[in-house]
């Protein structure tokens, strides 16, 4: 039986831009992605579907519901019209609260629902850290401490030690989305540690894609943000180039 070629193979032959489909809960910093798409002048397509949200709360029970299989399957169905090459669950807390094994199973279920390679922002952080050879990092988290510690645990299983954890106790994604450039730079500076090889900023509700080079200049080391690693991982699992300008050390050759 003949099989249809993958969308990524067709795009590679025709020179079309790769498409990373994003499942994004709510809308707090969703505008980061179309702005990036515009800035890159068509080098990447980032079709986005807003997944349903029960309660906007950085609380474990609410986050388990946020990342439930039903919500992601519904979003994956809506993404099919965009013919993505890969699909990303663009949410850190709604993936790391499931733990290492649970986050992988979540991504596998999403891949089955979408019929495409799939991953999540939490797993993207580990993949990005490995790509840069990072083993010791600082985390500048917007979340309450108990939620942020789940991220630390996932990183540890992935072979990344957190030498400093800064948590800012922000309870809702809506509030995180209001933080501007100066506040984000301040968060990264406050979260840095002399023993850290990089600073990780794990919240897709936080705007960051326009400021990545500024953030790295501020601390003098790589900075990995949630929206940045989400795009990078989507391109990586789609088999597309991850070399793009203005997106920090992670995207440089």
């Amino acid at each position: 039986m003949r099989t249809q070629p993958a969308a990524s193979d067709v795009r590679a032959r025709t020179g079309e831009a790769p498409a990373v489909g994003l499942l994004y809960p709510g809308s707090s910093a969703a505008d980061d992605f179309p702005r990036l798409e515009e800035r890159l002048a068509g080098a990447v397509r980032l079709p986005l579907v807003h997944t349903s949200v029960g309660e906007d709360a950085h609380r474990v029970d609410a986050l388990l519901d946020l990342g439930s299989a039903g919500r992601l399957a519904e979003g994956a169905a809506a993404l099919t019209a965009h013919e993505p090459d890969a699909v990303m669950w663009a949410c850190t807390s709604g993936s790391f609260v499931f733990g290492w094994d649970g986050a992988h199973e979540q991504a596998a279920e999403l891949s089955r629902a979408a019929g495409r390679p799939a991953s999540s922002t939490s797993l993207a952080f580990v993949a990005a850290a490995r790509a840069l050879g990072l083993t010791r990092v600082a985390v500048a988290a917007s979340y309450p401490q108990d939620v942020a510690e789940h991220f630390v645990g996932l990183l540890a299983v992935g072979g990344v030690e957190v030498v400093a954890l800064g948590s800012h106790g922000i309870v809702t994604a809506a509030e995180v989305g209001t933080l501007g450039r100066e506040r984000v730079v301040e968060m990264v500076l406050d979260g840095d540690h002399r023993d850290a090889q990089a600073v990780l900023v794990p919240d897709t509700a936080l705007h960051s894609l326009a400021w990545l080079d500024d953030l790295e200049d501020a601390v003098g080391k790589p900075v990995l943000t949630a929206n940045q690693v989400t795009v990078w991982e989507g391109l990586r699992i789609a088999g597309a180039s991850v070399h793009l300008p203005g997106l920090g050390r992670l995207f440089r050759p």
Side-chain angles (χ1 to χ4, degrees):
M1 183 176 75
R2 292 187 61 184
T3 58
Q4 293 295 318
S8 55
D9 294 335
V10 174
R11 293 197 220 288
R13 290 200 302 270
T14 61
E16 291 183 45
V20 175
L22 304 171
L23 298 182
Y24 189 95
S27 59
S28 299
D31 55 338
D32 244 14
F33 299 104
R35 288 175 180 173
L36 175 62
E37 207 175 35
E38 182 178 358
R39 196 166 85 240
L40 294 175
V44 175
R45 286 201 305 119
L46 301 171
L48 184 148
V49 166
H50 298 275
T51 58
S52 59
V53 176
E55 181 182 359
D56 178 13
H58 287 148
R59 201 179 64 242
V60 172
D61 62 328
L63 295 168
L64 290 169
D65 174 65
L66 184 73
S68 63
R71 293 190 191 278
L72 298 192
E74 182 181 18
L79 264 178
T80 58
H82 299 281
E83 298 185 341
D85 300 307
V87 174
M88 291 295 298
W89 169 222
C91 182
T92 326
S93 55
S95 46
F96 67 62
V97 292
F98 289 86
W100 178 260
D101 291 338
H104 280 85
E105 179 55 31
Q106 181 188 60
E109 289 180 358
L110 177 56
S111 180
R112 288 191 289 270
R116 295 287 187 273
S119 187
S120 68
T121 305
S122 290
L123 300 179
F125 269 110
V126 175
R130 289 174 175 173
L132 293 177
L134 305 175
T135 57
R136 300 183 315 280
V137 302
V139 171
S142 58
Y143 319 118
Q145 180 81 16
D146 64 320
V147 172
E149 287 173 355
H150 285 268
F151 183 53
V152 173
L154 181 136
L155 291 174
V157 179
V160 183
E161 177 189 1
V162 175
V163 298
L165 169 62
S167 60
H168 290 261
I170 302 177
V171 176
T172 69
E175 182 179 351
V176 174
T178 67
L179 302 181
R181 177 188 172 280
E182 290 185 6
R183 184 70 181 94
V184 177
V185 170
E186 181 183 335
M187 281 180 59
V188 171
L189 286 169
D190 289 347
D192 190 20
H193 188 279
R194 64 184 180 184
D195 294 333
Q197 299 164 307
V199 180
L200 276 54
V201 189
D203 196 340
T204 58
L206 189 75
H207 292 91
S208 67
L209 293 179
W211 310 323
L212 289 164
D213 288 345
D214 294 341
L215 297 176
E216 293 192 338
D217 288 344
V219 292
K221 61 182 67 172
V223 174
L224 301 180
T225 75
N227 291 348
Q228 173 203 36
V229 301
T230 298
V231 175
W232 178 87
E233 175 75 340
L235 291 170
R236 186 186 74 83
I237 64 175
S241 172
V242 294
H243 300 150
L244 294 169
L247 290 173
R249 177 65 186 88
L250 181 63
F251 278 86
R252 294 181 198 136

